[in-house]
Amino acid sequence: MNVPLLDLVAQYRGIKHVVLGAIMAVIERQGFIMGPEVAQLEAEVARLSGTRHAVGCASGTDALLLPLRALDLAPGDEVITTPFTFFATAGAIHNAGGTTVFADIDPGSFNISPHAIEAAITPRTRAMVVVHLFGQMAAMEDIVPLAERHGLALIEDAAQAIGARRQIAGNWRMAGELGTVGTLSFFPSKNLGGYGDGGMMVTGDDALAERLRRLRLHGGSRQYHHDEVGFNSRLDTLQAAVLLAKLPHLAEWSAARARNAARYTEAFTGHPTVCPPQVDSLNSHIYNQYTLRVPRRDELQARLKERGIGSSVYYPLALHLQPCFAHLGYQAGSMPVSEAATETVISLPIYPEMSRDQQDAVIEAVLQFYA
Ligand SMILES: Cc1ncc(COP(=O)(O)O)c(C=O)c1O
């Protein structure tokens, strides 16, 4: 049975008329840049994230770059992040002029370890970028006080975690709510994906929101008047229109992903070799990815492919070992937990429209491989 890793066509079939209507409204109006849909989406996403402000931008990568740029990093200023994430997280630190310092992950959640962050802080540390990987939040109840104690900016990379929540001191707190700024990606494969690139920054800091709004428009608060040099990093009105049309479905899509995850986890729990993802009991996970830890991972992936089942390895090489970061001086063995993860992880299809039969085929293929 064919089971793709993700089936966006199936999603499109269910929302086609609404999305096409939203797109056509923008086209009929011929208003493509900073149209009203951008501000509407910003208001909705700020509400969802529990923040006062949301500022759209061109991608999840730029959503990281702009707040890092707003830190006005001097050469040698350090920003701590995880080596087990998509490249953009560390690439943005580099492109903002910072020196990336890696801190290893927690073996259960795959998220950055607060202890490792603390051990990596030096007098040159200015900020940390914490990634809520695969859709579950990092240990913010430990990380926020750490950032406050050391006077560090805290950027939450919530590219994979829109709508994820964590219970802190008895209250549900949203991904992006507790940091200096939270960053989102609307890359098509995300739980809320556009029809192209897009991103957003959420913050409760009025002055920072103003600065980010400037930075996305070439650093000017009035047309043709530039207080600083910024970027062309607007969220397209067409993308905002698509995302507004899709947003009412986000909660139900994430719930369907969580139901699929629960079925997988039931099937794999207790298996002698297949290790389902560990969900921190404080988290409400949105399952942008469902990631197993397995032996003979590459062989399993080849077998799944033979049977028409999609899968992916997020991520096969930790960032501290990427050739472009060789100058940072890390070696194999520097980040053992992340390195072990890169050798064993495999993400299975988890998309909301996957049928029971399709999911049964994935489960059977995995179990048969290890039988
Ligand atoms: C953790 C993380 N950070 C940043 C990004 C960058 O987002 P974009 O692809 O929208 O630039 C992604 C996208 O895959 C991501 O997964």
Side-chain angles (χ1 to χ4, degrees), residues 259-324:
R259 280 195 299 278
N260 291 342
R263 281 196 84 220
Y264 275 140
T265 293
E266 198 186 324
F268 298 132
T269 296
H271 192 278
T273 42
V274 176
C275 180
Q278 289 178 30
V279 185
D280 191 324
S281 61
L282 297 173
N283 273 333
S284 168
H285 195 320
I286 64 145
Y287 289 101
N288 186 238
Q289 302 300 339
Y290 182 88
T291 305
L292 294 178
R293 225 186 287 244
V294 293
R296 294 161 55 215
R297 187 262 321 277
D298 295 345
E299 281 173 68
L300 170 66
Q301 187 169 36
R303 176 70 65 82
L304 293 175
K305 191 173 173 199
E306 274 165 31
R307 297 180 68 153
I309 295 169
S311 67
S312 192
V313 173
Y314 307 112
Y315 298 92
L317 182 63
L319 298 188
H320 65 290
L321 301 178
Q322 297 287 344
C324 65

Side-chain angles (χ1 to χ4, degrees), residues 59-61 64 85-86 88-89 131 157 159-160 185 187 190 197-198 315:
S59 67
T61 302
L64 289 162
T85 176
F86 180 60
T89 314
V131 180
D157 181 345
Q160 302 180 8
S185 163
F187 186 81
K190 299 298 194 264
D197 280 307
Y315 298 92

Side-chain angles (χ1 to χ4, degrees), residues 63-131:
L64 289 162
L65 179 62
L66 271 57
L68 284 161
R69 184 65 176 263
L71 291 172
D72 299 312
L73 298 172
D77 281 353
E78 296 171 0
V79 180
I80 297 170
T81 196
T82 165
F84 191 60
T85 176
F86 180 60
F87 180 78
T89 314
I93 295 170
H94 175 90
N95 284 336
T99 298
T100 308
V101 172
F102 291 108
D104 211 350
I105 57 171
D106 170 77
S109 67
F110 299 119
N111 281 323
I112 195 165
S113 149
H115 301 295
I117 296 176
E118 189 154 27
I121 293 172
T122 75
R124 295 305 307 265
T125 308
R126 294 281 317 280
M128 52 179 102
V129 183
V130 168
V131 180

Side-chain angles (χ1 to χ4, degrees), residues 14-15 246-259 352-353:
I15 55 171
K246 290 178 75 169
L247 186 59
H249 299 280
L250 176 62
E252 107 214 13
W253 287 334
S254 292
R257 286 170 177 269
R259 280 195 299 278
E353 299 79 10

Side-chain angles (χ1 to χ4, degrees), residues 197-214:
D197 280 307
M200 198 162 278
M201 303 159 282
V202 297
T203 181
D205 180 329
D206 299 348
L208 178 60
E210 225 20 71
R211 180 105 189 261
L212 296 172
R213 285 198 181 92
R214 269 206 327 257

